[in-house]
């Protein structure tokens, strides 16, 4: 199964900070994230079996959502 943990670019930019150690984000992390998101979104949408929006959600809540979506009988 493919699970896409989907987040707004602003959320991603906050998480990566200055992009240190991430060559694809060098120079303009938020701008580069916007470009990459636009390029990759169609492929992610095509391949994902499950899409989980993670903005404003706790890791436990996200994990529970994933488990309910991919493990039979969990969260039912």
């Amino acid at each position: 199964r493919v699970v896409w943990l989907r987040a707004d670019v602003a959320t991603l930019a906050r998480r990566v900070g200055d992009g240190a150690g991430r060559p694809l984000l060098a120079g303009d992390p938020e701008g580069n994230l916007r470009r990459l998101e636009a390029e990759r979104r169609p492929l992610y949408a095509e391949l994902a079996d499950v899409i989980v929006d993670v903005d404003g959600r706790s890791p436990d809540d996200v994990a529970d959502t994933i488990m309910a979506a991919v493990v039979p009988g969990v969260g039912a």
Side-chain angles (χ1 to χ4, degrees):
R1 298 231 180 214
V2 176
V3 178
W4 176 14
L5 301 178
R6 186 169 57 186
D8 290 334
V9 170
T11 299
L12 298 173
R14 267 193 319 278
R15 291 180 180 176
V16 300
D18 66 3
R22 296 173 180 259
L24 291 176
L25 303 182
D28 179 13
E30 187 164 353
N32 288 327
L33 282 166
R34 284 191 193 291
R35 178 183 53 78
L36 289 168
E37 193 272 344
E39 291 172 3
R40 295 175 178 180
R41 177 177 284 269
L43 180 61
Y44 292 171
E46 178 182 337
L47 296 176
D49 297 305
V50 177
I51 299 171
V52 180
D53 290 313
V54 300
D55 294 301
R57 297 177 68 186
S58 73
D60 285 341
D61 184 38
V62 171
D64 290 345
T65 300
I66 294 167
M67 291 297 292
V70 301
V71 179
V74 172

